[in-house]
Amino acid sequence: MKYLSQFLIILGFTFVGEALQRIVPLPIPASVYGLVLLFAALCTGLVKLEQVKDVGSFLTSILPILFVAPAVNILDYWALIESRLIPIGLLILGSTVVIF
């Protein structure tokens, strides 16, 4: 029951983020709204860390599984990517530097 309530808290912030994304006319993804709201709730003490810690740790631990499908797609399109590997690599490097 503890895990269900923790998951529902996180899910609630996700749904509020979805609602905000539809209401506020800014090009910000709903997931960002939800994360910012959850962060603010944690900072203000509205939500205690213990109320979401276990499920949050679990979700973070399974995050690499979400990247399996894109990796498989890269292998499917390797013939197209291989000829443009240097420009793609430079774009990835440049965008990483800009983000930092």
Side-chain angles (χ1 to χ4, degrees):
M1 198 65 180
K2 175 177 86 169
Y3 296 115
L4 181 61
S5 65
Q6 289 184 12
F7 183 71
L8 289 175
I9 291 170
I10 294 172
L11 194 62
F13 280 97
T14 303
F15 283 142
V16 171
E18 287 286 337
L20 274 177
Q21 194 264 337
R22 294 178 194 280
I23 294 170
V24 179
L26 294 174
I28 298 173
S31 58
V32 173
Y33 281 122
L35 285 173
V36 168
L37 289 173
L38 181 57
F39 178 70
L42 285 167
C43 287
T44 61
L46 184 65
V47 174
K48 304 287 186 236
L49 181 60
E50 295 78 29
Q51 293 176 301
V52 293
K53 184 176 182 180
D54 296 327
V55 171
S57 295
F58 171 73
L59 291 173
T60 304
S61 71
I62 65 166
L63 194 60
I65 294 171
L66 301 175
F67 293 102
V68 171
V72 170
N73 281 332
I74 287 174
L75 293 176
D76 285 344
Y77 293 102
W78 182 251
L80 294 172
I81 295 171
E82 187 177 25
S83 64
R84 298 173 181 93
L85 200 54
I86 292 175
I88 291 172
L90 290 173
L91 283 171
I92 291 171
L93 181 66
S95 63
T96 303
V97 169
V98 168
I99 289 172
F100 283 148

